[in-house]
Amino acid sequence: MQLNGKQVLLTGGNGGIGKALSAILREQGAHVTVIDRTAGENTRVTNLADADELDALCETLKVQRVDILINLAGLMYFGHLPEQSAAHLSTMLTVNLEVPIRLAQAVLPGMLEREEGQIVNIGSVFGSLAFPHFTTYSATKAGLKGFSEALRREYAGKGIDVTHIAPRAVKTPLNDAKIEELHRRTSVTNDSPERVAKHIANAIVHKHKNVAIGQPESFFMRLNALLPGVIDRALVGKRDIANEILGSYKA
């Protein structure tokens, strides 16, 4: 796909990955509109967790040309499941899962009318390799993966391409001190936002269906699908490390 002149809508575009991705897409001639809570270049400031603001955005998108929708915005929670507040859980479910679905609903009619369009959902390896203490985050990313697969099959042959991309750990402000310590103690590799952005841009241009970034994570995702018990046992030790870290940060 040639990106020159394409109208791109990117949620979470003012974050680490988003800024790097916007720059790449603009270099290739795309017109990128960013949806973010913070102001930035060509940004529509929107709180996607606010029902009224989300409704207003969807109404706008129904009459606005969008050639490529990139659902990047997301929230993370690392902690014991009972300690996640109901408010934070609700916001995470909205931003990580409801928002991509709602935005896809809004742009699909126009794409179908033009018989061309691409929806790109940025998930996580945790969507296929669920990690203890990232329980609700893993659940939302698994849901996004399922949505992407079903959507692709629903509109096969209609000119709509659906791309799902699963990065591994990325060095962004989403990683607080506890997560950084977990990564260090479990030897997790953190990719740079720039590296991830390049993978996303490449997947868009080549219309890839499913992309998992990084090894050995990609291998373990496939192994988990075949032998989940093996992964269960492998992650018990990491769970215990996470318990130690979470305990050490309690007030």
Side-chain angles (χ1 to χ4, degrees):
M1 176 196 289
Q2 297 297 317
L3 298 183
N4 190 43
K6 294 293 184 182
Q7 297 292 332
V8 178
L9 186 76
L10 171 63
T11 69
N14 290 337
I17 298 173
K19 286 181 179 179
L21 180 58
S22 294
I24 294 172
L25 298 178
R26 287 174 176 138
E27 285 173 2
Q28 297 188 31
H31 302 288
V32 182
T33 299
V34 168
I35 305 297
D36 204 290
R37 291 179 300 175
T38 60
E41 182 181 357
N42 202 23
T43 298
R44 172 172 172 158
V45 178
T46 304
N47 178 5
L48 292 171
D50 182 276
D52 291 336
E53 292 190 38
L54 177 58
D55 286 344
L57 174 61
C58 289
E59 289 302 313
T60 298
L61 296 182
K62 289 177 182 178
V63 296
Q64 177 179 317
R65 182 182 180 114
V66 177
D67 297 307
I68 304 171
L69 167 65
I70 307 174
N71 288 305
L72 173 62
L75 298 174
M76 184 181 291
Y77 176 75
F78 171 53
H80 300 294
L81 179 60
E83 295 176 3
Q84 184 177 16
S85 71
H88 190 273
L89 172 59
S90 178
T91 301
M92 176 183 285
L93 290 169
T94 297
V95 175
N96 290 13
L97 190 54
E98 180 184 348
V99 165
I101 296 172
R102 291 284 307 279
L103 298 187
Q105 287 178 318
V107 303
L108 270 168
M111 291 181 174
L112 288 168
E113 184 177 346
R114 295 187 297 274
E115 298 183 338
E116 182 181 19
Q118 187 174 15
I119 295 173
V120 183
N121 294 323
I122 311 303
S124 167
V125 296
F126 283 3
S128 298
L129 191 65
F131 203 95
H133 299 302
F134 290 89
T135 309
T136 51
Y137 177 75
S138 296
T140 61
K141 292 304 183 179
L144 187 61
K145 180 176 184 291
F147 170 65
S148 302
E149 292 174 352
L151 188 66
R152 182 170 60 247
R153 293 160 186 165
E154 184 169 341
Y155 291 99
K158 303 292 185 181
I160 308 299
D161 293 287
V162 180
T163 298
H164 176 264
I165 302 171
R168 59 181 178 181
V170 185
K171 194 168 185 60
T172 72
L174 280 178
N175 299 336
D176 61 16
K178 293 179 290 186
I179 294 175
E180 291 287 354
E181 183 176 351
L182 178 68
H183 289 172
R184 179 181 60 79
R185 292 181 59 182
T186 57
S187 301
V188 167
T189 299
N190 278 272
D191 288 326
S192 69
E194 292 75 19
R195 180 176 188 270
V196 175
K198 288 178 182 178
H199 277 281
I200 295 172
N202 182 70
I204 292 171
V205 169
H206 293 95
K207 298 183 177 180
H208 292 316
K209 292 179 173 61
N210 284 299
V211 175
I213 302 174
Q215 291 289 358
E217 290 84 357
S218 298
F219 169 74
F220 288 135
M221 289 167 64
R222 294 191 294 271
L223 182 61
N224 186 55
L226 297 171
L227 299 168
V230 173
I231 301 300
D232 286 349
R233 292 189 291 273
L235 291 181
V236 167
K238 297 182 186 297
R239 178 204 63 190
D240 293 342
I241 293 173
N243 277 330
E244 291 177 11
I245 293 171
L246 291 169
S248 69
Y249 279 87
K250 285 186 177 181

